[in-house]
Amino acid sequence: MSLHTLGWNDRLQALFESHRPLGLEPARVAREERDSYRVLHAAGEIPARIAGRLRHQVSSRIDLPAVGDWVALRPSDGDGPALIEAVLPRTGVFVRKRAGDKTEAQVVAANIDVVLVMMGLDGDFNPRRIERYLAAAWDGGAAPVVVLNKADLVADPQALVAEVEDVSPGVPVVCISASTGAGLDALERWLVPGNTVALLGSSGVGKSTLANALLGEERQATHEVRADDSRGRHTTTHRELFLLPCGAVLLDTPGMRELQLWADESTLIDTFPDIEALAATCHFRDCRHDSEPACAVRAAIERGALATERFESWRKLQRELRWLAGKQDVRIRIEKAAKWRAISRSRRFHPKVRRSR
Ligand code: GDP
Ligand code: ZN
């Protein structure tokens, strides 16, 4: 198995240099189980565990290996699993709240380049929700592409496409039918070798249908992998990282599918650049855009330059973020913001994939 087909590149090569003299080998995490991992390595898919040293080193769960991570692996010298001794620096992470009282972040996916934000053109259609998913994609350090699915169910999708383009400035919007295959070729420019792609969207929008269409005939082979477990028995495992026939890597995990919005306030600027720009010109710096004099936001609504629904949706997201921020473990919040803000900013202006409209 070639690591390059899984996204290995010069950046990772340079990051790995310090591990090589220690006898470690690079691998990518394909699946996380309760206490063990399946990793993809030059020798194929093998079982692995976290080395004790790494477990003691990390200051938070966020730093433990997750699906999509590149790791430094100590190969097994016998029957046991290989040991993950280090996690290479990530280009981004998707995190969610862990079930239970304590609000602690859990990484559901790492190193995603492109997120296909899916929405159905049927009853699921709701441009407001797109804004939430775009915010999540930026926050995870990935470039979003909006994929409007089930085009076969509507006579004229163009009006709906235009509505989505209004709420997603600068983000490509494509229209497809995952079940008939119509429009899938429009996704080719993002499904290129070396790119890791993930799907986001509500249940029922067609994520599985699209994943299967992209996997084509490889589907059975990749979904059901016969492998040797640590005791040498044959088992069937379910992988969450797939090499697509077109050469891109598809990351499809339950955690990614259930992703809850775990954004910080910087995402507001990514998702609502127009309102943020208006708000910056209000007379009062702490303007609440209610009834303050010389409020640029209200003025824009009154002259019809800003839709009331878009303003309400911005306010709702702001409220939720504030509520979430209050609940979040402060340390994680600070760590995460510091780590990823710079990355998502630089990627926004120099994305791997050129954005178009
Ligand atoms: P997921 O929950 O996002 O994984 O959604 P699924 O892929 O399971 O699809 C949900 C339902 O929508 C299934 O019944 C699919 O057959 C149907 N579906 C998916 N894509 C399309 C499409 O392009 N057109 C139509 N008409 N139905 C679709
Ligand atoms: Zn104002």
Side-chain angles (χ1 to χ4, degrees):
M1 181 176 305
S2 152
L3 293 179
H4 283 94
T5 61
L6 296 173
W8 186 256
N9 55 31
D10 292 347
R11 183 189 77 88
L12 291 161
Q13 184 75 31
L15 290 169
F16 195 77
E17 278 319 306
S18 61
H19 298 294
R20 217 175 278 285
L22 306 174
L24 303 180
E25 294 172 6
R28 194 165 192 195
V29 176
R31 181 174 163 81
E32 185 180 349
E33 279 146 10
R34 194 166 292 278
D35 236 350
S36 62
Y37 293 84
R38 308 287 308 180
V39 301
L40 299 170
H41 167 258
E45 187 185 318
I46 57 171
R49 277 177 187 281
I50 300 178
R53 203 163 59 91
L54 174 60
R55 201 179 279 286
H56 291 116
Q57 242 170 23
V58 302
S59 56
S60 113
R61 274 177 65 98
I62 285 187
D63 300 319
L64 289 176
V67 175
D69 261 327
W70 286 96
V71 297
L73 202 69
R74 166 125 7 241
S76 164
D77 50 9
D79 288 344
L83 291 179
I84 298 173
E85 300 216 344
V87 178
L88 299 192
R90 297 155 170 161
T91 55
V93 281
F94 282 83
V95 289
R96 70 165 175 200
K97 279 187 297 177
R98 222 147 56 95
D101 286 344
K102 191 154 178 277
T103 334
E104 196 188 355
Q106 182 182 19
V107 176
V108 296
N111 301 317
I112 306 280
D113 298 299
V114 176
V115 167
L116 303 181
V117 173
M118 286 186 80
M119 194 167 66
L121 286 166
D122 54 355
D124 177 65
F125 188 76
N126 175 359
R128 305 269 84 91
R129 203 180 319 119
I130 285 282
E131 293 165 351
R132 307 279 308 258
Y133 281 115
L134 292 180
W138 288 126
D139 205 35
V145 175
V146 176
V147 178
L148 299 175
N149 188 32
K150 309 195 186 184
D152 56 297
L153 296 181
V154 288
D156 177 21
Q158 268 319 306
L160 301 174
V161 170
E163 238 185 282
V164 170
E165 282 175 341
D166 277 350
V167 299
S168 50
V171 176
V173 179
V174 301
C175 204
I176 66 158
S177 169
S179 56
T180 69
L184 288 190
D185 48 347
L187 294 174
E188 277 168 15
R189 43 193 293 244
W190 296 284
L191 301 175
V192 293
N195 257 1
T196 301
V197 179
L199 306 173
L200 263 187
S202 311
S203 174
V205 295
K207 295 184 295 299
S208 308
T209 310
L210 178 59
N212 289 336
L214 296 176
L215 281 162
E217 288 171 7
E218 319 270 304
R219 179 191 162 187
Q220 278 312 322
T222 40
H223 266 89
E224 304 261 292
V225 177
R226 294 261 296 162
D228 291 342
D229 72 5
S230 55
R231 292 186 196 84
R233 289 180 310 207
H234 282 295
T235 54
T236 305
T237 63
H238 179 98
R239 196 191 284 175
E240 297 177 338
L241 201 64
F242 307 97
L243 188 59
L244 298 175
C246 59
V249 174
L250 175 69
L251 186 149
D252 185 17
T253 71
M256 200 63 192
R257 285 172 172 239
E258 298 155 11
L259 194 78
Q260 287 182 35
L261 187 63
W262 181 286
D264 65 42
E265 263 150 84
S266 70
T267 62
L268 276 175
I269 302 166
D270 299 323
T271 320
F272 297 95
D274 49 344
I275 308 189
E276 295 289 336
L278 284 169
T281 64
C282 288
H283 181 69
F284 293 104
R285 269 190 63 169
D286 59 348
C287 184
R288 281 171 297 125
H289 324 300
D290 281 327
S291 52
E292 289 87 347
C295 169
V297 174
R298 293 233 71 93
I301 294 172
E302 268 147 42
R303 67 170 187 274
L306 172 63
T308 313
E309 304 84 60
R310 184 161 169 80
F311 172 63
E312 290 306 334
S313 140
W314 175 66
R315 286 246 271 218
K316 182 161 173 282
L317 184 56
Q318 252 188 341
R319 273 198 303 276
E320 287 173 0
L321 288 170
R322 229 169 265 143
W323 176 82
L324 201 57
K327 277 193 70 148
Q328 258 170 260
D329 179 288
V330 174
R331 183 176 53 79
I332 289 174
R333 186 173 156 71
I334 292 167
E335 264 177 23
K336 183 173 176 304
K339 270 192 192 166
W340 305 122
R341 187 171 287 126
I343 290 163
S344 60
R345 286 219 189 291
S346 65
R347 288 172 67 88
R348 188 161 355 116
F349 295 111
H350 309 283
K352 195 172 195 173
V353 173
R354 193 163 299 134
R355 274 180 262 148
S356 69
R357 286 205 64 177

